[in-house]
Amino acid sequence: MVTKVSGEFPANMDVTLTNMANAGVCTTNHSVGLAEPTNSYSQTTVVHDTQGFDHPGMLQCIAAGNGGEVANAMTSQAVIKNGIAVGGSNDVLLPEDRLTFSSIGPRFDGA
């Protein structure tokens, strides 16, 4: 079942995530392209991190990005500390089967 909640991205993402948490959503998926520098702790990252901290029962899964095998090319929102960055793979059991377009780390802080 899909539940629509008020808010829009990115201006009201904090409102959207709060509404989702209050509605009982336990997992969110974010795969959007933003005009922000990659692998940076941006205002968008702050919003996702703060909401992840404020609503520990709601897990945010953020797309790592499509920067390919270039180190430090993760999307800005994928560097959050209170969520999971997700990359693309042909086989989840074999790390060498990562899809070639999927971004990789490490994050700007080395994690």
Side-chain angles (χ1 to χ4, degrees):
M1 179 172 104
V2 176
T3 304
K4 276 191 97 166
V5 292
S6 63
E8 60 187 44
F9 189 82
N12 293 329
M13 182 50 79
D14 57 337
V15 173
T16 300
L17 291 171
T18 297
N19 289 344
M20 292 171 82
N22 291 341
V25 172
C26 58
T27 306
T28 64
N29 179 51
H30 305 270
S31 181
V32 296
L34 299 176
E36 294 182 340
T38 57
N39 202 24
S40 63
Y41 203 84
S42 68
Q43 186 57 41
T44 303
T45 316
V46 171
V47 168
H48 282 287
D49 250 348
T50 302
Q51 292 297 315
F53 183 82
D54 290 348
H55 306 290
M58 183 174 69
L59 175 63
Q60 296 179 73
C61 300
I62 312 277
N66 298 327
E69 259 186 76
V70 177
N72 302 316
M74 293 172 53
T75 61
S76 59
Q77 64 267 36
V79 300
I80 67 170
K81 299 180 187 302
N82 296 305
I84 297 176
V86 180
S89 173
N90 284 326
D91 186 331
V92 296
L93 299 177
L94 301 172
E96 63 271 15
D97 282 345
R98 179 190 56 81
L99 294 172
T100 57
F101 63 80
S102 187
S103 292
I104 60 173
R107 286 193 319 230
F108 67 93
D109 61 0

